[in-house]
Amino acid sequence: MAQRERESIYFISDIHFGLQVEGEERLKLEKLELLFALIREDGRALYMLGDILDYWMEFRHVIPKGFTRLLCLLGDLAASGVDIVYVAGNHDFYLGEFFERELGLKATLYGLNSFEYAGRTFLFAHGDGLGQGDVGYKAFARLVRNRFNLGLFTAFHADLGVALMKKLSYLSRHHKPVDIPRESNRLLNFAESIAAEQEFDYFVCGHNHVEGVHQLRNGACRYVNLGTWIDGRYPYGVFSHDEFLLKEL
């Protein structure tokens, strides 16, 4: 199907490949294959909003094993003409050039970004480090993604590097803010603060695994959280025919 005939924009987040036992990992891959088949039918773009992998660090000459099938699926989808954008999450410690050069993804990004499509403005991010609070994580992210520290890390033997990634991933998952209700609402509150300053139609994110769609107080903007794939459900977002829907495989 020609790119101009494809109308839908798809969104996924927080799949955390590499986290769970073999059977659950296999089922997530099967669900992803089903989703990619849908995207090939009418999708012009796929936005992966972080933590697709439970741990990832790009080395100079080594690709961490365990994700071969996923990487092949991504490369095939990109080759079919779908624009794929990967936003780093707190478990994607560093996205370098591999996904773009080797797999053909359109872009790898960090933080808060935006695009316009069909007369709508989309703000999108993983969600880590946005808004007030969680100072410890923000300091951790600056430390991990510092260029000097990245150079040191990638100089390690890959087996040692992967072991360290898994440990950091564990620490990131088990880091708990003192005020849990406030943390659950932090991204929604951040979207409200942005809506008070600028115009947009959708703020799309993941990170806190709290799936849902909320109309913001100004009545013109919507907050969308894509949820997670680690609890036996497989949600995704799709914008098509002037409507944003959360669906499930």
Side-chain angles (χ1 to χ4, degrees):
M1 184 180 293
Q3 180 76 359
R4 60 183 175 81
E5 296 174 331
R6 293 171 166 172
E7 296 185 350
S8 300
I9 310 292
Y10 287 81
F11 300 82
I12 55 175
S13 181
D14 294 273
I15 298 178
H16 290 279
F17 281 117
L19 169 63
Q20 296 171 283
V21 298
E22 182 178 352
E24 293 170 326
E25 293 291 294
R26 185 167 54 249
L27 184 55
K28 286 192 293 189
L29 280 167
E30 291 171 357
K31 294 294 186 180
L32 191 70
E33 285 189 87
L34 290 176
L35 177 59
F36 281 10
L38 293 176
I39 296 173
R40 284 192 186 90
E41 289 296 318
D42 71 339
R44 65 185 294 119
L46 168 64
Y47 286 81
M48 305 194 302
L49 302 190
D51 290 0
I52 304 303
L53 301 162
D54 195 56
Y55 55 88
W56 181 266
M57 174 67 76
E58 184 166 319
F59 295 91
R60 294 188 183 96
H61 306 292
V62 176
I63 303 170
K65 76 174 186 178
F67 306 118
T68 303
R69 186 175 170 190
L70 168 64
L71 299 178
C72 289
L73 288 172
L74 285 172
D76 288 345
L77 186 65
S80 74
V82 177
D83 290 336
I84 305 176
V85 175
Y86 192 168
V87 180
N90 51 301
H91 289 264
D92 306 302
F93 300 118
Y94 176 61
L95 302 179
E97 299 179 343
F98 171 76
F99 286 93
E100 295 176 59
R101 283 193 171 187
E102 300 289 333
L103 302 182
L105 271 64
K106 182 179 180 181
T108 53
L109 304 172
Y110 292 83
L112 181 63
N113 302 271
S114 66
F115 70 91
E116 293 187 4
Y117 174 66
R120 297 289 184 267
T121 299
F122 296 78
L123 304 184
F124 64 96
H126 177 62
D128 56 316
L130 298 181
Q132 298 180 349
D134 208 1
V135 176
Y137 169 72
K138 292 175 182 177
F140 168 79
R142 285 195 296 270
L143 177 68
V144 170
R145 291 171 178 164
N146 175 276
R147 287 187 177 275
F148 178 76
N149 292 334
L150 285 171
L152 289 177
F153 183 91
T154 55
F156 292 163
H157 188 283
D159 285 346
L160 176 60
V162 169
L164 180 57
M165 280 194 295
K166 290 182 177 181
K167 180 63 175 178
L168 291 173
S169 178
Y170 174 86
L171 292 175
S172 179
R173 178 174 301 102
H174 290 274
H175 165 68
K176 300 292 186 183
V178 174
D179 191 339
I180 299 298
R182 180 177 179 180
E183 174 63 16
S184 298
N185 292 325
R186 180 172 56 84
L187 289 172
L188 179 57
N189 293 337
F190 177 75
E192 291 280 15
S193 70
I194 295 295
E197 299 175 355
Q198 68 182 83
E199 294 182 0
F200 63 88
D201 295 282
Y202 297 98
F203 179 96
V204 191
C205 64
H207 185 51
N208 64 16
H209 299 182
V210 183
E211 179 186 344
V213 179
H214 302 274
Q215 183 168 304
L216 301 183
R217 285 192 293 266
N218 65 8
C221 309
R222 284 179 172 79
Y223 164 91
V224 181
N225 192 295
L226 299 168
T228 181
W229 284 29
I230 66 174
D231 58 4
R233 298 175 60 250
Y234 309 95
Y236 65 96
V238 57
F239 177 80
S240 184
H241 304 293
D242 205 30
E243 185 177 17
F244 198 118
L245 297 174
L246 283 180
K247 295 187 177 183
E248 188 173 340
L249 295 163

